Amino acid sequence: MKVSFLNIKSINDCHRKELHAALDRVLDSGWLVLGKEVESFEREFAAYCGVEHCIGVGNGLEALHLVLRAWGVGAGDEVIVPSNTYIATWLAASYTGAVPVAVEPDPVTFNIDPARIEAAITPRTRAIVPVHLYGQSADMDAIMRIADKHGLKVLEDVAQAHGARYKGRRTGGLGHAAGFSFYPGKNLGALGDGGAVTTNDPLLADRIRVLRNYGSRIKYHNEVIGFNSRLDELQAAFLRVKLSTLDADNTRRQQIAAAYQSGLAGSELQLPAVPEWADPVWHLYVVRTRQREVLQQKLGTLGVGTLIHYPIPPHRQAAYVSLFSETSFPLAEAMADEVLSLPMGPHLTDVEVETVIRALRGSF
């Protein structure tokens, strides 16, 4: 049996009838940008996250960028980011003209280590951007205490953690604001690109709504130099469909993760660790081994698809080599060399999950 790493077609096929109905609803409305579908999704997703405001934008990177820009972050400023994350987190800071300042992860959870954040703060630091990596929340209370002490803003990067909880509270409402991606492979994925900002700050929400729409709240009246970053009606309609089953889909992910944890216990793999305060939604199930290349090759021959998240850390990318050519982040570098993501998604059957476990057990 072949087990693909991710099968987006199978995930969307579960919603085929409802997605077609959503398409018809948008076509019949005759309104394609910033209409009732976006308004409805923003209201529904804000309620889901337990916040007052949601603003739909073009993608997850723009969600982060627009928040930082709305806070006035710019040239000469610094933004603290994890050393191990997808490069979009860093790019959001760079888009404003600020410098990303990398902080290493907790070696157990792989999320940014609060104990290391304070040492990275300088008079130029304006914000901290913790990433809820792989679907598990960062230690937000510890991060917020540091931010409050130094008068900093906290922007959650929730691209991988739709619906995850921290001490019973959903991600997206734990910092001063949050940025979401709805890229098709996410837990809540559109059928194209999309993103959103969530916040309890009405002034920030208003600022983001202006910035996303050319700096305008009234057509042809441009208050500031803005951007074109709007969640379109069709993607909003699709997201409304999939939001209705997000909790059920996340529950299935949790069941699969539990099967992996049990079935791979005692193996030579380093399995994910979950703190008692975290309730992850397992966007990714990531194991760690120094034999990564050999293992990935063996699994491939057995028909089990895997991916590496991420093979090159941001500070080693050509885009940032001029800033970090003399800097080493050994934990991020070790993870880049050793992590391997196993098949994960609500589409996986019990038989497929057991196939993955047997393949791994037989590869050592």
Side-chain angles (χ1 to χ4, degrees):
M1 173 182 290
K2 289 189 176 181
V3 183
S4 60
F5 173 76
L6 178 66
N7 190 330
I8 294 176
K9 182 178 184 300
S10 293
I11 293 173
N12 288 328
D13 276 347
C14 296
H15 306 283
R16 181 175 290 271
K17 180 179 178 180
E18 293 80 4
L19 292 172
H20 276 287
L23 169 60
D24 289 342
R25 194 167 66 241
V26 172
L27 290 174
D28 290 343
S29 76
W31 197 286
L32 301 178
V33 178
L34 293 185
K36 291 184 177 179
E37 293 293 338
V38 170
E39 292 174 1
S40 296
F41 173 73
E42 289 175 339
R43 183 173 58 253
E44 292 160 6
F45 194 62
Y48 178 84
C49 295
V51 297
E52 293 297 321
H53 305 280
C54 171
I55 307 95
V57 297
N59 53 68
L61 171 54
E62 281 299 303
L64 299 174
H65 163 229
L66 291 179
V67 172
L68 293 175
R69 189 169 289 274
W71 282 339
V73 176
D77 294 331
E78 295 176 348
V79 176
I80 291 176
V81 296
S83 61
N84 61 307
T85 182
Y86 185 58
I87 199 170
T89 314
W90 289 41
L91 291 174
S94 297
Y95 274 17
T96 69
V99 174
V101 174
V103 170
E104 289 270 71
D106 179 317
V108 176
T109 67
F110 298 172
N111 272 317
I112 192 169
D113 188 348
R116 299 172 186 264
I117 290 177
E118 201 153 16
I121 295 173
T122 76
R124 295 184 297 277
T125 306
R126 294 290 306 279
I128 305 169
V129 187
V131 177
H132 303 308
L133 196 66
Y134 307 152
Q136 179 167 286
S137 64
D139 189 354
M140 289 300 296
D141 283 355
I143 293 169
M144 292 301 291
R145 284 194 295 269
I146 294 167
D148 290 344
K149 177 181 176 181
H150 293 274
L152 304 175
K153 293 291 190 181
V154 176
L155 170 58
E156 301 170 70
D157 184 334
V158 204
Q160 301 184 10
H162 311 76
R165 294 181 185 272
Y166 171 80
K167 298 183 179 180
R169 295 172 290 156
R170 286 202 197 273
T171 52
L174 304 173
H176 298 108
F180 286 84
S181 167
F182 302 125
Y183 186 75
K186 305 299 186 183
N187 290 41
L188 179 60
L191 273 67
D193 231 331
V197 172
T198 57
T199 184
N200 285 311
D201 183 343
L203 295 179
L204 176 64
D206 182 68
R207 182 75 169 174
I208 298 295
R209 292 185 192 280
V210 171
L211 284 174
R212 74 172 175 182
N213 190 39
Y214 298 100
S216 172
R217 71 182 78 233
I218 301 173
K219 193 169 185 178
Y220 301 130
H221 292 260
N222 302 86
E223 303 172 20
V224 295
I225 297 174
F227 303 84
N228 177 13
S229 181
R230 302 172 297 197
L231 180 66
D232 69 65
E233 285 287 279
L234 187 57
Q235 297 305 331
F238 291 155
L239 288 167
R240 293 181 68 196
V241 170
K242 299 180 76 174
L243 179 59
S244 67
T245 64
L246 177 57
D247 283 343
D249 290 343
N250 284 341
T251 296
R252 178 56 185 161
R253 290 175 180 268
Q254 291 165 342
Q255 292 169 348
I256 294 166
Y260 283 154
Q261 293 285 91
S262 175
L264 299 174
S267 71
E268 297 180 29
L269 300 171
Q270 179 182 333
L271 303 182
V274 181
E276 62 180 1
W277 39 256
D279 185 13
V281 292
W282 302 103
H283 172 61
L284 299 171
Y285 185 92
V286 179
V287 298
R288 189 171 172 181
T289 174
R290 293 182 179 178
Q291 308 300 319
R292 199 255 313 278
E293 281 71 26
V294 173
L295 177 60
Q296 187 175 37
Q297 185 176 15
K298 286 183 178 179
L299 292 175
T301 62
L302 294 171
V304 174
T306 57
L307 286 180
I308 299 170
H309 296 85
Y310 300 96
I312 305 173
H315 73 281
R316 292 298 187 213
Q317 298 284 355
Y320 286 104
V321 70
S322 62
L323 285 177
F324 295 96
S325 59
E326 303 298 324
T327 309
S328 175
F329 296 97
L331 290 175
E333 290 162 12
M335 290 178 61
D337 290 338
E338 299 173 6
V339 296
L340 187 66
S341 300
L342 304 185
M344 173 56 71
H347 62 289
L348 288 175
T349 66
D350 290 344
V351 173
E352 289 175 320
V353 173
E354 185 58 34
T355 298
V356 175
I357 294 170
R358 286 200 308 271
L360 282 160
R361 282 290 189 180
S363 295
F364 291 99

